[in-house]
Amino acid sequence: FPDVLNVQNETRACFTKQFVQQLSGKKVWINYDSDDPGVKHCTLITSEFGYNYINVPRIYLSEKIKDFADLYRHHGEEPIIEYFREKGLL
């Protein structure tokens, strides 16, 4: 299984040199909200470090769903499982 990273602060600030070194050589997936701030910071971090992202598809924003907990609450596990399969995580 790959490493999936979910940090409390959705900015570049938590990616210290030491933290990034600890992730070196691992396939890292970032999970931020799929709203504009989450996508902006996720894009910056994945571009800088070559990580992958696993944000909830933006099509759910019209339902005010921006994270996997919301997606599960509204639609159950099936869309999450399917999305993880599409990303090659299952």
Side-chain angles (χ1 to χ4, degrees):
F1 289 101
D3 295 304
V4 177
L5 181 62
N6 192 8
V7 294
Q8 294 298 316
N9 181 346
E10 292 186 347
T11 68
R12 168 68 173 80
C14 64
F15 289 85
T16 64
K17 185 176 180 177
Q18 181 182 14
F19 184 57
V20 171
Q21 285 176 342
Q22 290 176 343
L23 298 172
S24 180
K26 297 180 180 183
K27 187 167 186 169
V28 178
W29 290 80
I30 305 289
N31 171 226
Y32 286 172
D33 289 350
S34 59
D35 58 6
D36 288 339
V39 170
K40 175 186 172 188
H41 292 288
C42 188
T43 301
L44 290 171
I45 292 164
T46 56
S47 296
E48 182 175 350
F49 300 111
Y51 301 152
N52 303 285
Y53 68 90
I54 190 73
N55 302 349
V56 169
R58 293 181 64 104
I59 61 168
Y60 293 105
L61 284 175
S62 63
E63 299 177 56
K64 300 194 186 315
I65 295 172
K66 60 183 183 176
D67 62 34
F68 286 108
D70 289 341
L71 183 56
Y72 181 82
R73 249 187 314 278
H74 291 272
H75 295 282
E77 66 185 22
E78 197 56 40
I80 298 169
I81 291 170
E82 183 59 33
Y83 184 59
F84 276 49
R85 281 190 183 126
E86 289 173 14
K87 288 286 194 173
L89 295 170
L90 292 177

